Amino acid sequence: MWARITLLTLVMSSAVGAAGWPLEKIRTVNITNNLGANIELNFHCKSKNDDLGQQQLPYKGFWYFKFRPNFWGTTLFYCSMNWEQVSHSFDIYVDTRDNLKCVVCQWSIQAKGPCRLNSTSQKYDICFPWTP
């Protein structure tokens, strides 16, 4: 009896991630340039294991990437962002901050900082400061 319960527990725990999400749950991060007309956004996003390469976005252009959060709930993607003579960085996906808030995390990049789409208000009103 105990062997059957232990096997069932093992099977169930391997199918669900640390935050209760099924491991096959794919996340999408969408980045939109809202810096202003004629301002091109250049950025480079990475995680500990993945380098997503250098990207360029015209004003109102967007780019996205997809991934599966890791089992431990520690997935982190960070981006360095540059436009004109300005450089900033930001953690664009932090598992502990984002995994229960968005399956598709939509970001509006603005000079004051990145703002995430609020699923309740349908506005980009969840804003964060740039990483120091």
Side-chain angles (χ1 to χ4, degrees):
M1 176 69 172
W2 284 107
R4 197 176 311 157
I5 292 172
T6 303
L7 180 59
L8 180 61
T9 303
L10 179 62
V11 169
M12 289 179 67
S13 65
S14 67
V16 176
W21 289 103
L23 289 179
E24 66 274 1
K25 191 67 144 184
I26 294 175
R27 298 287 188 275
T28 301
V29 172
N30 185 342
I31 299 170
T32 301
N33 175 1
N34 282 309
L35 292 168
N38 301 317
I39 299 177
E40 184 175 80
L41 173 64
N42 298 292
F43 61 99
H44 192 164
C45 298
K46 300 178 180 183
S47 72
K48 179 180 176 184
N49 300 315
D50 299 298
D51 185 333
L52 304 178
Q54 185 72 34
Q55 308 296 325
Q56 294 180 330
L57 288 178
Y59 177 58
K60 295 292 185 184
F62 71 93
W63 178 82
Y64 69 93
F65 64 96
K66 295 182 178 217
F67 62 96
R68 286 185 172 89
N70 68 33
F71 176 80
W72 299 274
T74 58
T75 301
L76 169 71
F77 280 91
Y78 54 94
C79 303
S80 57
M81 300 189 177
N82 306 286
W83 63 92
E84 297 178 331
Q85 300 298 315
V86 178
S87 295
H88 289 293
S89 62
F90 182 69
D91 295 339
I92 204 78
Y93 183 88
V94 180
D95 200 78
T96 55
R97 180 191 69 203
D98 300 319
N99 76 352
L100 297 177
K101 303 292 184 191
C102 53
V103 173
V104 177
C105 300
Q106 297 185 57
W107 291 94
S108 169
I109 304 305
Q110 303 170 27
K112 66 181 180 179
C115 296
R116 191 177 65 212
L117 182 68
N118 182 332
S119 61
T120 303
S121 69
Q122 289 299 299
K123 295 180 181 178
Y124 289 95
D125 57 11
I126 302 172
C127 298
F128 297 86
W130 293 109
T131 303

